[in-house]
């Protein structure tokens, strides 16, 4: 292996971080507040404790896990007040991202967003809430790429992950999903029209709707593990 190839190889800590993050955010293995078995997962992922704890430190900084001395590591628990604060922050950041996207989008960007809308519609037609959650997240990430602001993107990606981890299993009705998809369509229309004011307004209203839905759907003590959660 050449020196150049070695220099581009991910570190064990980076590999552990990516693998552990995927385990916590995807599938139904862990519910909000669950203890994360660090030693067991280190063996499963084939890494030593050192890179595993490096990964956990990064996830703690992102707000995805909570480390309790002498008690262990836990996936972030559901916290209504914290979730409300996350949505307040998301409203401001997503509003600005939408404004920038409307100012900077090209024809290819709009076409990509329209393909995402079609994918979301297909998920709704199939009544696949998990696939819709994935498609909706990809839509928001596409808007961030068009906005082309690395700071906003970094902050929102962390907030998206926290929302997804905290709200896993919260039920969402088909009607709620349809409203969200319509919000996305209105946002694409504003971006296509290069209307920053309208794009920001639509994005803010959309996030307020997500927050209201989360507030009405606080999880029961025995959280079901069938869906990955909200946008």
């Amino acid at each position: 292996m050449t020196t150049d190839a070695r220099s581009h190889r991910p570190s064990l800590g980076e590999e552990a971080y990516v693998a552990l993050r995927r385990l916590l955010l995807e599938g139904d293995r862990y519910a909000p507040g669950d203890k994360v078995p660090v030693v067991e997962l280190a063996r499963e992922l084939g890494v030593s404790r050192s890179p595993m704890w490096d990964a956990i430190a990064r996830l703690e900084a992102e707000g995805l896990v909570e480390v309790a001395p002498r008690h262990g590591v836990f996936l972030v628990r559901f916290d209504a007040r914290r979730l409300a604060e996350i949505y307040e922050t998301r409203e401001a950041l997503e509003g600005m991202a939408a404004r920038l996207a409307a100012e900077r989008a090209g024809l290819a960007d709009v076409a990509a967003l329209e393909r995402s809308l079609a994918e979301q519609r297909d998920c709704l037609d199939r009544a696949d809430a998990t696939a819709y959650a994935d498609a909706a997240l990809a839509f928001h990430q596409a808007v961030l790429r068009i906005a082309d602001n690395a700071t906003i993107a970094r902050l929102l990606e962390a907030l998206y992950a926290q929302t997804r981890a905290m709200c896993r299993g919260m039920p969402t009705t088909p009607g709620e999903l349809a409203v969200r998809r319509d919000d996305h369509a209105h946002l694409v229309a504003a971006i296509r029209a290069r209307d920053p004011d309208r794009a920001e307004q639509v994005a803010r209203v959309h996030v307020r709707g997500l927050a209201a839905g989360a507030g009405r759907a606080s999880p029961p003590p025995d959280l079901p593990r069938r869906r990955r959660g909200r946008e």
Side-chain angles (χ1 to χ4, degrees):
M1 180 184 294
T2 66
T3 301
D4 183 65
R6 285 196 299 270
S7 67
H8 287 84
R9 180 178 178 178
S11 67
L12 289 176
E14 177 69 20
E15 291 177 346
Y17 163 77
V18 172
L20 183 55
R21 195 176 192 274
R22 183 179 299 118
L23 276 175
L24 296 177
L25 291 180
E26 298 180 7
D28 299 324
R29 189 164 179 175
Y30 299 103
D34 276 358
K35 188 171 185 178
V36 179
V38 177
V39 175
E40 176 186 322
L41 287 177
R43 286 197 298 265
E44 180 180 328
L45 298 175
V47 298
S48 66
R49 295 188 185 187
S50 179
M52 192 66 171
W53 280 105
D54 287 344
I56 288 169
R58 289 180 63 180
L59 293 170
E60 183 182 22
E62 290 181 22
L64 293 183
V65 300
E66 298 168 344
V67 179
R70 297 186 298 278
H71 293 283
V73 178
F74 300 84
L75 183 62
V76 61
R77 60 188 172 81
F78 179 85
D79 183 318
R81 179 169 181 173
R82 179 176 174 184
L83 186 61
E85 292 175 352
I86 288 172
Y87 277 120
E88 285 178 349
T89 307
R90 280 184 54 176
E91 180 184 334
L93 292 175
E94 290 195 44
M96 179 54 67
R99 169 175 287 278
L100 292 174
E103 293 172 349
R104 299 172 178 176
L107 293 177
D109 296 321
V110 174
L113 293 177
E114 289 174 338
R115 287 194 296 272
S116 177
L117 290 177
E119 181 181 359
Q120 292 170 52
R121 172 57 63 190
D122 181 62
C123 294
L124 294 179
D125 290 343
R126 292 185 283 109
D128 190 335
T130 297
Y132 175 83
D134 290 335
L137 176 61
F139 174 84
H140 286 283
Q141 290 170 332
V143 173
L144 289 180
R145 285 193 295 273
I146 297 168
D148 195 25
N149 183 301
T151 300
I152 291 176
R154 183 176 65 253
L155 293 170
L156 277 174
E157 285 287 2
L159 295 177
Y160 292 156
Q162 288 179 44
T163 304
R164 196 158 196 175
M166 196 182 298
C167 296
R168 173 174 295 167
M170 289 173 63
T172 309
T173 68
E176 287 178 309
L177 297 183
V179 168
R180 295 175 190 179
R181 192 271 178 188
D182 289 345
D183 286 347
H184 293 166
H186 293 318
L187 178 56
V188 173
I191 292 173
R192 187 193 305 113
R194 304 186 68 83
D195 187 339
D197 291 339
R198 177 61 178 162
E200 179 175 359
Q201 179 187 28
V202 170
R204 283 178 171 271
V205 169
H206 175 65
V207 177
R208 284 179 212 147
L210 296 177
R216 291 192 300 269
S218 298
D222 184 17
L223 189 67
R225 303 190 184 189
R226 293 174 294 179
R227 294 174 179 152
R228 292 188 191 170
R230 295 171 172 262
E231 288 182 38

